[in-house]
Amino acid sequence: MFYFFSKVLSYFITPAGWLVALLVLALFTRSHRRRRWLAGGALAVFWLFGNTFLVNEFARGWEYGPVAVPADTTTRIAVVLTGGMMDGMTPIPDRRFLLDREADRAGQALYLYKQGAVRTILISGGNGDLPFQPGIVSDEGQMTARFLETAGVRREDIILENKSKNTRENALFTARLLRQQFGTNRCVLVTSAWHMRRAVGCFRKAGVEVVPFPGSFMSHQRTFVPGEWLLPNAQAFQDAYYLVKEGVGYMAYRLAGYI
C-alpha cells in the first residue's frame, strides 16, 4: 500500500502537480477574480520552479557533491541502483540498450570498475512499474548488465538483484546479498546525486556501511546570468520536479522509519 501511494500520489506533491491543479481550478471557477488569482498562482509556480538560479541553489544544497575514487581497497563491490538509466518504453527490433536520463549511474559504476576500485558491480532494482503502466521492458537491470558487458565488464563480475521496487527494498535485498555471497556489509553506493541522500539513509538503516559515489548531477557551478533569474526554463522546471519529489520522499521515509 505504501508503494502504491508513493507512486500514484507523488505527482500531486510536485510543482507539476501544483501547476495542473491551479490551472484546472482556474478553468472551472466562475469567479473572474478568483480565476485571476489562480492563474497568477500558476504563473508564480512556473516562474519559481522554472528559475534556473533558484533550482540550482536547491540542487547544490540537496545533492551529494562529487567525490574522488575511493582509496580504500577493502571495499570492492559497487552497488548501482536502477531507475531511469535505460529507456524501456521505446520498442526496438533487437536486445540492444537505449540510455536514458540517469544512465550516468551505470557510467560511474563502470568507471570504478575500469579504475580497479571495485571488482564486482551489483545492480539493484526490479520492475518498479505499477500493473497498469504500459512498460515494454520489465527488467532495467538486465539492460544495464548488457550495457556494462558491452563496455568491457566481465559477465561473472556482474550480479543482479531484480526484486526490489523502491529504495528501501534496494537496501534490504542488497544487504542480504552482501552478507550471503560476500560475507561483508560494505559497498560503494552508486546512484544519482539527488537520490543519494535517501539511498545512504536506507542502506545505513539496513546495516550496510556505504561509501557514496554519486553521479548524474543536476547542480552546476553558480552563475549570475540575468536570464537565469528573469525567464523560466523548462529544464529547470523538470529538475525541480525531481528535487521536490525526492525531498518529499525522503521525509516520508523518515516518518515511516525507513531511514
Side-chain angles (χ1 to χ4, degrees):
M1 185 63 67
F2 176 84
Y3 175 71
F4 175 82
F5 281 108
S6 68
K7 288 292 185 182
V8 176
L9 299 181
S10 61
Y11 175 80
F12 297 101
I13 50 177
T14 64
W18 305 334
L19 182 61
V20 169
L22 287 168
L23 291 175
V24 169
L25 289 173
L27 181 65
F28 287 99
T29 187
R30 295 182 177 181
S31 169
H32 292 291
R33 181 179 180 183
R34 186 177 301 171
R35 185 178 301 169
R36 287 195 298 269
W37 275 104
L38 290 169
L43 182 61
V45 167
F46 184 61
W47 180 86
L48 181 64
F49 292 98
N51 187 299
T52 302
F53 181 86
L54 294 179
V55 172
N56 184 54
E57 290 299 303
F58 184 10
R60 286 169 62 91
W62 179 260
E63 290 184 330
Y64 267 62
V67 298
V69 173
D72 182 2
T73 57
T74 61
T75 305
R76 306 312 300 267
I77 304 168
V79 175
V80 56
L81 307 186
T82 62
M85 290 194 295
M86 300 292 158
D87 178 3
M89 297 299 293
T90 302
I92 50 178
D94 53 35
R95 296 177 68 253
R96 73 181 183 271
F97 47 82
L98 297 175
L99 303 182
D100 211 343
R101 174 187 171 100
E102 307 301 325
D104 190 49
R105 300 185 188 189
Q108 295 303 315
L110 175 64
Y111 184 77
L112 288 170
Y113 182 86
K114 291 292 188 179
Q115 292 295 310
V118 300
R119 294 178 180 174
T120 303
I121 298 177
L122 193 160
I123 304 169
S124 177
N127 179 14
D129 292 340
L130 294 171
F132 48 80
Q133 288 182 307
I136 295 173
V137 176
S138 62
D139 194 343
E140 185 181 17
Q142 290 285 355
M143 294 182 72
T144 305
R146 292 202 299 274
F147 164 74
L148 293 173
E149 285 185 71
T150 303
V153 179
R154 298 188 304 170
R155 184 64 187 89
E156 56 267 31
D157 292 336
I158 301 174
I159 296 177
L160 294 177
E161 181 286 295
N162 56 6
K163 295 182 179 180
S164 57
K165 294 183 178 181
N166 55 36
T167 309
R168 178 176 182 250
E169 292 184 354
N170 287 143
L172 294 175
F173 299 163
T174 297
R176 188 183 308 157
L177 274 175
L178 290 174
R179 290 192 298 267
Q180 292 177 350
Q181 295 194 25
F182 300 97
T184 184
N185 67 336
R186 294 171 57 85
C187 71
V188 179
L189 183 59
V190 183
T191 187
S192 301
W194 57 267
H195 180 244
M196 184 62 79
R197 190 181 298 268
R198 177 160 46 151
V200 167
C202 287
F203 272 74
R204 288 177 176 167
K205 183 77 172 184
V208 181
E209 296 181 25
V210 297
V211 177
F213 198 77
S216 191
F217 295 92
M218 288 186 185
S219 60
H220 53 77
Q221 186 175 356
R222 185 180 288 115
T223 61
F224 297 93
V225 179
E228 293 188 354
W229 283 91
L230 300 175
L231 301 176
N233 181 277
Q235 182 60 55
F237 192 78
Q238 183 182 24
D239 289 346
Y241 169 85
Y242 284 100
L243 288 167
V244 172
K245 182 179 178 182
E246 180 62 21
V248 172
Y250 179 84
M251 293 304 301
Y253 268 49
R254 286 191 66 89
L255 292 174
Y258 297 161
I259 296 177

